[in-house]
């Protein structure tokens, strides 16, 4: 997720997983121009942690540029590439020569060319496509788009069942997975509004999905993947309401470790900015989260930030315990 996920956060999340369990991460959206012309390539986009399975998430409608960037990025040994046909941000969609993001769903010819060429030049490299319903709701058009993605040789399709126009308003239309599933034989991954481990597994089972992608739910509950793994292994049976995905102390430790890790990698100024942005999502996953906002905005140094976190967790722990 742009400006939010980075190698430090991914490493911390991976550390929470039980032994012998791994997961696939997606990079923030990468503009291949920044890779090919070596400008504005951001540290958080490209590096892959040791042993990590990372899919590079490409945001462009220009097949020549995408192929060049793939060629350069392959030296990092990614788990694959994904073409982003879901981003609804207006400016991004029209930034290049060709449309990109969800606007690409209006140009199946371009998407077909990109998949075809990518699979021709790099036949053994995993190449998925992430879509929304479309710019607007048009189900026959969506199904025809999905069929095209499969015909051109994509290895998987990821669906976030909202339209571009809806942005994040309206609930996701999960019923569409059934229709899309019938069109496809390649793996189908569901995405959107998954906030806990029970919902993740129920969604997968209910619609016969091959996987579930979690964005905001993982920012609010970075241990959601551990909870999913434990539930799959039969070691977690109670509901997340009875047994939270992360304890209060784990939340504090996670934040402190993340802050330290960010600072080591990016320095204080960038760390404070990135950390505040992350906390805007993280705090939504916990009681009294809104109270954390003010002190984090006020903190002007790493130490002030650390103090603010310690104080918040210490002060509110008593109240949390009284709620249990
Ligand atoms: C702040 C934010 C940043 C995002 N950045 C990206 C991105 O860089 N690339 C991408 O493909 N999707 C991005 N997305 C979309 C998510 O990948 C995902 O499709 C969407 O949030 C729905 O899933 P969720 O409900 O699990 O978050 C972003 C979403 C949010 C809220």
């Amino acid at each position: 997720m742009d400006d939010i996920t980075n190698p430090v956060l991914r490493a911390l999340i991976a550390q929470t997983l039980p032994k012998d369990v791994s997961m696939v991460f997606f990079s923030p959206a990468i503009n291949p121009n920044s890779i090919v012309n070596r400008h504005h390539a951001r540290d958080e986009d490209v590096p892959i942690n040791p042993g990590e399975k990372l899919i590079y998430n490409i945001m462009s409608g220009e097949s020549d540029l995408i192929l060049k960037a793939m060629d350069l990025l392959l030296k990092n040994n990614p788990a694959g590439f994904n073409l982003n046909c879901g981003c609804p941000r207006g400016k991004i969609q029209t930034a290049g020569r060709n449309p990109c993001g969800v606007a690409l769903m209006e140009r199946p010819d371009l998407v077909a060319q990109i998949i075809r060429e990518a699979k021709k030049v790099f036949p053994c490299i995993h190449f998925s496509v992430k879509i929304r319903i479309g710019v607007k709701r048009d189900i026959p058009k969506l199904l025809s788009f999905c069929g095209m993605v499969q015909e051109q040789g994509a290895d998987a399709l990821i669906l976030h069942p909202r339209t571009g126009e809806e942005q994040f308003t309206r609930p996701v239309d999960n019923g569409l997975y059934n229709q899309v599933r019938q069109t496809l034989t390649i793996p189908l991954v569901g995405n959107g509004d998954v906030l806990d481990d029970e919902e993740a597994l129920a969604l997968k089972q209910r619609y016969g999905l091959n996987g579930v992608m979690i964005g905001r739910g993982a920012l609010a509950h970075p241990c959601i993947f551990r909870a999913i793994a434990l539930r799959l292994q039969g070691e977690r049976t109670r509901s997340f309401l009875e047994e939270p995905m992360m304890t209060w102390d784990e939340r504090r430790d996670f934040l402190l470790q993340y802050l330290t890790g960010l600072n080591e990698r990016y320095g204080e100024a960038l760390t404070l900015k990135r950390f505040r942005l992350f906390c805007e999502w993280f705090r939504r996953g916990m009681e009294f989260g809104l109270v954390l906002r003010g002190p984090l905005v006020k903190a002007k140094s790493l130490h002030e930030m650390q103090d603010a976190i310690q104080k918040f967790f210490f002060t509110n722990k008593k109240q949390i315990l009284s709620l249990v």
Side-chain angles (χ1 to χ4, degrees):
M1 299 174 90
D2 221 9
D3 281 335
I4 299 180
T5 55
N6 56 61
V8 182
L9 182 63
R10 297 198 308 261
L12 269 184
I13 289 177
Q15 272 174 31
T16 69
L17 294 176
K19 268 205 184 93
D20 304 328
V21 172
S22 64
M23 58 181 281
V24 178
F25 289 98
F26 274 63
S27 76
I30 295 178
N31 176 351
N33 195 28
S34 69
I35 305 298
V36 173
N37 297 316
R38 295 181 197 282
H39 60 80
H40 303 309
R42 301 172 309 172
D43 174 76
E44 68 268 32
D45 289 347
V46 177
I48 300 182
N49 294 319
E52 182 179 57
K53 292 179 196 158
L54 181 76
I55 291 187
Y56 284 131
N57 182 23
I58 302 291
M59 174 88 99
S60 169
E62 299 175 33
S63 64
D64 49 343
L65 209 52
I66 293 174
L67 289 183
K68 283 184 196 155
M70 284 175 74
D71 193 37
L72 291 168
L73 288 167
L74 273 171
K75 70 174 187 311
N76 299 338
N77 201 19
F81 293 86
N82 174 72
L83 181 67
N84 180 323
C85 300
C87 182
R89 278 188 276 170
K91 260 192 203 161
I92 287 180
Q93 289 175 52
T94 52
R97 198 178 48 188
N98 290 339
C100 66
V102 73
L104 268 179
M105 292 191 71
E106 293 288 312
R107 291 293 306 272
D109 56 318
L110 275 184
V111 176
Q113 185 192 358
I114 293 167
I115 303 169
R116 196 167 53 240
E117 292 186 3
K119 288 307 291 185
K120 189 172 157 204
V121 179
F122 307 106
C124 301
I125 303 297
H126 175 95
F127 194 95
S128 61
V129 178
K130 178 166 180 267
I131 62 172
R132 284 191 175 228
I133 295 173
V135 174
K136 294 175 191 292
R137 191 177 174 90
D138 180 338
I139 303 309
K141 202 166 158 183
L142 164 69
L143 297 179
S144 146
F145 191 92
C146 296
M148 174 279 292
V149 165
Q150 172 164 290
E151 257 168 46
Q152 297 303 328
D155 296 292
L157 184 90
I158 303 161
L159 173 62
H160 175 197
R162 283 189 173 97
T163 67
E165 282 184 348
E166 285 164 358
Q167 301 258 340
F168 283 93
T169 61
R170 291 178 157 213
V172 276
D173 185 355
N174 286 339
L176 281 177
Y177 290 127
N178 286 330
Q179 281 171 276
V180 172
R181 177 76 285 169
Q182 282 165 18
T183 310
L184 296 182
T185 51
I186 57 171
L188 174 63
V189 175
N191 167 239
D193 295 3
V194 173
L195 294 178
D196 64 77
D197 53 322
E198 289 169 286
E199 174 60 18
L201 294 182
L203 189 76
K204 185 170 181 293
Q205 211 168 20
R206 201 177 301 137
Y207 299 105
L209 300 173
N210 301 86
V212 175
M213 174 190 264
I214 304 176
R216 291 166 299 167
L219 302 179
H221 306 283
C223 287
I224 191 170
F225 304 105
R226 175 185 68 186
I228 292 171
L230 291 176
R231 198 167 286 279
L232 280 171
Q233 293 171 348
E235 288 177 36
R236 184 175 154 84
T237 49
R238 294 200 292 160
S239 105
F240 74 95
L241 290 173
E242 294 164 317
E243 186 182 356
M245 289 177 280
M246 271 174 109
T247 66
W248 190 248
D249 288 350
E250 271 181 326
R251 284 195 160 268
R252 177 201 57 212
D253 295 347
F254 189 92
L255 281 189
L256 290 172
Q257 276 187 52
Y258 184 42
L259 191 58
T260 307
L262 276 180
N263 187 51
E264 280 167 7
R265 187 153 187 146
Y266 300 115
E268 194 174 52
L270 206 48
T271 291
L272 297 184
K273 195 170 150 223
R274 292 260 161 85
F275 188 72
R276 283 193 200 102
L277 205 52
F278 170 75
C279 286
E280 279 299 299
W281 297 98
F282 182 84
R283 68 179 174 78
R284 295 173 198 210
M286 62 187 180
E287 300 278 357
F288 310 111
L290 196 58
V291 184
L292 183 61
R293 190 159 191 259
L296 293 190
V297 171
K298 273 194 207 136
K300 295 290 177 261
S301 69
L302 188 71
H303 290 303
E304 285 179 19
M305 199 70 106
Q306 284 163 332
D307 285 349
I309 294 165
Q310 295 278 19
K311 201 167 161 195
F312 167 81
F313 279 90
F314 180 77
T315 312
N316 293 296
K317 187 166 184 174
K318 278 186 219 142
Q319 302 198 48
I320 285 288
L321 290 176
S322 72
L323 290 178
V324 179

